Amino acid sequence: MRLKTSLLQEPKHKELVSCVGWTTADELYSCSEDHQILRWNLLTSETTLVVKLPDDIYPIDLHWFPKTVGCKKQNQTEIFVLTSTDGKFHLVSKTGRIEKNVEAHKGAVLAGRWNYDGTALITAGEDGQIKIWSKSGMLRSTLASQGSPVYSVAWGPDSDRILYTSGRQLVVKPLQPSAKVIQWKAHDGVVLKVDWNSVNDLILSGGEDCKYKWSYALEKPNTGSVFSVAWSADGTQLAGACGNGHVIFAHVVEQHWEWRNFVITLTKRRTMQVRNVMNDAVDILEFRDRVIKASLAYGHLVVATSLQCYVYNSRNWNTPLIFDLKEGTVSLILQAEKHFLLVDGAGLYTFSYEGRLISSPKFPGMRADILNAQGVSLSNDTIAIRDKSDEKVILLFDALTGKSLADGKPLTHKLEVVEVALDQCGPSNERKIALIDKNRDLYLTSVRHLGREPKICKIGSMVHSMAWNDAANILCGVQDNQLTVWYYPSAVFTDKDLLPKTLYMKDGSEFSRTPNILSYVGTKVTLRQGDGSLVYSSVPPYPALLHEYSTSARWEDALRLCRFAKDQSLWACLAGMAMANRELTTAEMAYASIGELPRVQYINFIKQQPSKESSLAHMLMFSGQVQEAEATLLQAGLIYQAVQVNIDLFNWERALELAVKHKTHVDTVLAYRQKFLQKFGRKETNKRFLQYADGVEVDWEKIQAKIEMELSKEREKAANASVRSSMAVRR
């Protein structure tokens, strides 16, 4: 990616240009010390004089009133704030008429910025003061006062904090009077410019120590000093105010998108080149308008221009499907196998690859303009969105209807969530979501949990970035200083001790500090480093094959693959997959291969159970789901088995409670309790057990006979049930 710059032969302004601001993606206003405000139309390449300011106004900063608030368009007339050296700020209409002059500071007003909903204006001055004004120009408060000039100021993403410069320091000050102020040394010289990105929450600063870069431009145009830069709303064009009277324009070209054997490059503003690296075939894609956003995945290229959306199938690049966009500026495109999600200033829309609108999820307080790829995730059946108003909350929607899942009850984590990602494969009732919280811990939970409280399990720590594989439910993440791949993350729900054995770790010394994972396709992980460069890392292909065999119940093939690969992590994955699918014979062999003999013995014990219900209950016990196991046994009328499960877990009080409630096996509980206490040389102290011990006789022979009778009854019942089912099949 680079910036392609353009500059007129002769400057339009006679003096230095102090500030620039975009009204639309194709129209810009510039102000200069020659007192002129010029309008630049990039479509027609025309430059017109808007107004000549009075001779005593020397402009410093310009900022347009926001056009949209959340997802709604503003009805107010288009105005901008213009700050000047005479200590005033001016509210100026689009036609150049000065609506209001306001005395604001002693000395020059160095910066003026509207907040995101246009309800307040902040100004910073040479006198070291920061003031907040109403949109009509009435002073509300003086937020800060310091001994040195405040060169730059910016609003936080939610307009509840401000960032400003203080010498070499940067200061974040919340608007609430009692809230804590954050301050740190940012540069070795005076900080001259700051900005705060509302989408990714990152802060950018530039200072007199020259630590700033325009690293994507190869040209060195004759501009003099650049006093101000401004990005267009769609993020594709940049304008700079130059010291020699020029206004320099730059647009982004040579962006790259990759998927399997295709590489796509944005060669010009309206042209893309598609290269198939398998046969070196090249296709050229032409667009009517400027390309704003694009995404390539799952065999489809989705391109959003300023007015339309194009959907290409990788099997045929000649006939795209084209439909018009409502709002224009698309800020995010996410793709799943069956459909894709567009995010623009007005909302979220799910489309099929045939161009049909499937759904448009909505929720209270929705601000689509600040949604990013870390806070939104899409799968074939689910959309997950991190709630910006409470970042502990993840809102879950059905992708096909746009309605909230789980009766509108969102998923709530104990800490603020930084990133969310839905897995891409398997049925909707097994959909999992991975999330990274503020402490950089990685958690996994089910999206659909059928009325139960969701079980959120921690599977990693110090995780900075993550991505699911496109073809199997394998998760990769940058963990501390290494690349970690969770071959079978769902093992945490079946046997959490198995999870560490299913990891693949790769040294991250080839990466820079905390790279960001862009995609995980096939066996290739793509990461973007801190300096913007891309690096690639490969992952073994066997786990994806194992997932495929498990999904299609080809257990013999899965065993053959593990024997061929001779990899302990694959055996561990197979053990977890087999237990999750209740394939006990395969699980027994896999656990034996990784030396887990106690688990092998327990699987044998499960196999010897007299009925299906008992086997199922003990499988639930194997996964640590004690309450579900007990409920299964009680539902099947297997009271003794339910009591025995609690005895085996030394859950004595619950065992006695069940025995008393169902008026059976009270003596069994008391007998095992006595045996347990005798082993440790202790006396009974529990009042309930003492109470029943007086009135119940403990006779081991009777108890053993009763247990044997219960088991034979259970076997008989199971045998009758199987006979009945086989007869029904014959009929």
Side-chain angles (χ1 to χ4, degrees):
M1 184 172 83
R2 68 182 181 88
L3 288 169
K4 188 177 180 186
T5 58
S6 59
L7 201 65
L8 294 176
Q9 286 185 340
E10 291 297 321
K12 292 286 183 182
H13 286 286
K14 299 180 185 69
E15 298 285 342
L16 75 80
V17 184
S18 55
C19 47
V20 287
W22 296 88
T23 57
T24 67
D26 298 301
E27 187 179 79
L28 179 103
Y29 275 45
S30 64
C31 300
S32 165
E33 290 194 353
D34 61 6
H35 310 291
Q36 292 188 120
I37 298 180
L38 298 183
R39 183 192 292 119
W40 303 72
N41 189 318
L42 271 66
L43 294 175
T44 59
S45 302
E46 288 178 355
T47 310
T48 52
L49 176 69
V50 178
V51 71
K52 189 157 187 336
L53 297 168
D55 289 348
D56 59 340
I57 296 180
Y58 288 88
I60 294 177
D61 195 16
L62 174 159
H63 193 223
W64 282 92
F65 190 82
K67 288 200 168 175
T68 56
V69 175
C71 301
K72 294 173 187 166
K73 279 199 167 184
Q74 292 273 43
N75 296 323
Q76 189 165 331
T77 53
E78 292 182 75
I79 59 164
F80 61 90
V81 61
L82 187 70
T83 70
S84 57
T85 55
D86 58 1
K88 295 177 182 174
F89 69 80
H90 315 273
L91 299 178
V92 188
S93 72
K94 195 176 180 182
T95 57
R97 193 160 71 91
I98 296 175
E99 305 286 344
K100 194 165 191 176
N101 299 311
V102 180
E103 287 275 359
H105 293 267
K106 291 172 186 169
V109 185
L110 299 175
R113 283 284 173 272
W114 296 103
N115 67 355
Y116 287 99
D117 56 8
T119 54
L121 169 72
I122 196 158
T123 59
E126 219 169 13
D127 56 3
Q129 293 194 330
I130 296 170
K131 297 181 179 181
I132 295 182
W133 309 79
S134 71
K135 64 180 176 186
S136 60
M138 301 293 288
L139 180 65
R140 283 187 185 164
S141 65
T142 301
L143 200 65
S145 188
Q146 61 182 40
S148 58
V150 180
Y151 287 102
S152 186
V153 67
W155 287 94
D158 295 320
S159 299
D160 58 350
R161 292 167 291 169
I162 60 140
L163 166 73
Y164 64 90
T165 68
S166 175
R168 299 175 182 186
Q169 310 252 335
L170 285 181
V171 184
V172 174
K173 187 175 173 72
L175 299 187
Q176 293 85 6
S178 57
K180 188 183 172 188
V181 175
I182 303 167
Q183 185 168 340
W184 70 96
K185 183 185 174 186
H187 289 262
D188 293 326
V190 175
V191 185
L192 297 174
K193 198 73 182 169
V194 291
D195 204 0
W196 195 335
N197 189 316
S198 65
V199 176
N200 60 27
D201 213 15
L202 294 178
I203 288 169
L204 178 71
S205 64
E208 284 187 350
D209 57 359
C210 299
K211 287 185 180 169
Y212 56 87
K213 278 185 182 174
W214 191 348
S215 57
Y216 293 117
L218 301 178
E219 299 97 335
K220 289 190 176 173
N222 177 28
T223 60
S225 299
V226 177
F227 285 90
S228 174
V229 291
W231 281 100
S232 62
D234 58 18
T236 60
Q237 297 178 105
L238 183 70
C242 308
N244 61 359
H246 273 294
V247 173
I248 187 168
F249 292 96
H251 60 268
V252 177
V253 291
E254 290 183 22
Q255 274 180 285
H256 295 279
W257 295 268
E258 292 181 15
W259 182 78
R260 300 204 183 273
N261 53 309
F262 292 103
V263 178
I264 295 179
T265 308
L266 181 69
T267 51
K268 295 176 187 171
R269 280 192 262 196
R270 298 186 180 92
T271 310
M272 281 181 165
Q273 182 195 73
V274 182
R275 182 179 293 276
N276 185 339
V277 295
M278 303 276 275
N279 55 18
D280 231 21
V282 174
D283 288 279
I284 303 295
L285 312 179
E286 298 279 353
F287 303 96
R288 193 185 73 184
D289 307 297
R290 187 178 63 256
V291 173
I292 291 173
K293 271 275 185 263
S295 176
L296 175 64
Y298 299 101
H300 291 87
L301 169 69
V302 181
V303 180
T305 68
S306 49
L307 296 171
Q308 293 177 310
C309 182
Y310 294 72
V311 183
Y312 292 87
N313 191 312
S314 62
R315 291 192 293 272
N316 180 8
W317 296 105
N318 299 320
T319 52
L321 189 136
I322 307 168
F323 59 89
D324 291 335
L325 294 169
K326 288 182 184 174
E327 287 296 318
T329 309
V330 171
S331 58
L332 182 65
I333 303 173
L334 294 178
Q335 287 179 259
E337 187 188 0
K338 293 179 180 173
H339 39 247
F340 64 95
L341 182 79
L342 290 185
V343 179
D344 63 19
L348 295 85
Y349 310 96
T350 312
F351 289 93
S352 69
Y353 287 113
E354 289 77 46
R356 182 172 55 86
L357 178 65
I358 297 171
S359 66
S360 178
K362 287 183 173 58
F363 55 93
M366 179 169 82
R367 272 191 65 189
D369 54 328
I370 59 171
L371 292 176
N372 61 15
Q374 282 72 42
V376 187
S377 186
L378 174 73
S379 71
N380 283 338
D381 43 64
T382 311
I383 301 168
I385 303 169
R386 183 188 61 193
D387 191 348
K388 193 68 183 161
S389 58
D390 181 1
E391 293 189 343
K392 294 177 185 175
V393 172
I394 299 164
L395 305 164
L396 298 166
F397 300 92
D398 189 312
L400 303 177
T401 63
K403 291 178 182 171
S404 294
L405 292 178
D407 302 323
K409 190 182 176 187
L411 180 67
T412 306
H413 188 49
K414 58 189 177 188
L415 280 174
E416 286 84 357
V417 175
V418 176
E419 189 174 344
V420 296
L422 290 160
D423 66 9
Q424 297 298 312
C425 305
S428 61
N429 60 335
E430 290 175 16
R431 184 71 54 233
K432 305 284 188 297
I433 183 169
L435 55 99
I436 300 172
D437 68 17
K438 196 170 72 172
N439 285 351
R440 293 288 164 192
D441 290 330
L442 176 62
Y443 289 84
L444 189 72
T445 186
S446 292
V447 168
R448 289 165 169 82
H449 34 81
L450 302 171
R452 295 193 309 271
E453 201 56 38
K455 191 177 177 185
I456 303 178
C457 299
K458 182 177 170 180
I459 60 170
S461 55
M462 294 302 292
V463 180
H464 299 279
S465 177
M466 62 168 172
W468 287 96
N469 187 266
D470 66 327
N473 287 336
I474 304 171
L475 182 69
C476 73
V478 175
Q479 189 176 25
D480 210 359
N481 59 347
Q482 63 193 12
L483 179 72
T484 303
V485 182
W486 287 263
Y487 282 163
Y488 184 53
S490 298
V492 74
F493 301 115
T494 311
D495 180 358
K496 63 173 186 263
D497 297 333
L498 204 59
L499 187 71
K501 297 180 180 181
T502 64
L503 302 185
Y504 169 77
M505 291 179 183
K506 203 170 183 181
D507 180 43
S509 55
E510 61 190 280
F511 314 135
S512 67
R513 190 168 152 267
T514 58
N516 182 48
I517 298 175
L518 294 183
S519 66
Y520 178 16
V521 177
T523 59
K524 187 174 82 170
V525 181
T526 307
L527 305 101
R528 189 178 293 286
Q529 303 202 103
D531 61 0
S533 60
L534 295 178
V535 285
Y536 303 95
S537 192
S538 61
V539 175
Y542 302 125
L545 272 173
L546 196 62
H547 275 272
E548 191 185 316
Y549 291 152
S550 162
T551 307
S552 53
R554 291 160 62 188
W555 300 108
E556 281 301 319
D557 290 340
L559 284 166
R560 229 173 272 130
L561 176 68
C562 290
R563 288 181 187 127
F564 168 76
K566 296 185 178 70
D567 184 347
Q568 290 287 293
S569 58
L570 280 187
W571 281 113
C573 288
L574 181 59
M577 289 170 182
M579 277 311 289
N581 288 281
R582 296 169 188 164
E583 183 62 37
L584 296 179
T585 308
T586 308
E588 189 181 355
M589 293 166 81
Y591 274 115
S593 299
I594 54 172
E596 289 283 349
L597 297 182
R599 283 172 168 76
V600 173
Q601 287 175 325
Y602 194 71
I603 289 168
N604 269 319
F605 170 69
I606 294 171
K607 283 178 166 182
Q608 290 161 12
Q609 290 303 304
S611 67
K612 279 182 183 175
E613 289 83 3
S614 292
S615 297
L616 174 59
H618 283 283
M619 278 190 242
L620 290 166
M621 288 278 292
F622 186 97
S623 303
Q625 298 174 47
V626 179
Q627 287 177 323
E628 288 86 345
E630 187 192 281
T632 303
L633 292 167
L634 291 174
Q635 200 173 350
L638 304 174
I639 310 303
Y640 161 68
Q641 288 274 26
V643 169
Q644 190 63 49
V645 157
N646 282 291
I647 291 171
D648 291 343
L649 291 169
F650 308 116
N651 195 352
W652 299 108
E653 293 208 357
R654 178 62 180 159
L656 184 63
E657 187 188 324
L658 286 172
V660 170
K661 185 181 176 184
H662 295 280
K663 298 176 182 168
T664 181
H665 286 286
V666 177
D667 54 346
T668 308
V669 179
L670 294 172
Y672 276 105
R673 173 78 170 181
Q674 282 175 16
K675 197 176 179 182
F676 170 74
L677 291 170
Q678 281 165 12
K679 194 174 180 181
F680 289 97
R682 294 195 173 187
K683 289 190 173 181
E684 184 61 80
T685 54
N686 189 307
K687 286 180 183 175
R688 286 201 73 192
F689 279 91
L690 287 169
Q691 178 192 337
Y692 285 103
D694 292 341
V696 177
E697 181 194 352
V698 172
D699 184 338
W700 272 105
E701 283 185 12
K702 280 184 182 176
I703 289 165
Q704 292 294 354
K706 198 167 19 168
I707 289 170
E708 199 49 56
M709 193 173 78
E710 289 272 9
L711 294 174
S712 62
K713 238 195 257 179
E714 191 181 337
R715 280 190 205 97
E716 198 178 311
K717 191 177 171 186
N720 289 340
S722 65
V723 167
R724 276 200 300 275
S725 64
S726 63
M727 284 173 72
V729 167
R730 277 178 201 158
R731 284 196 196 116

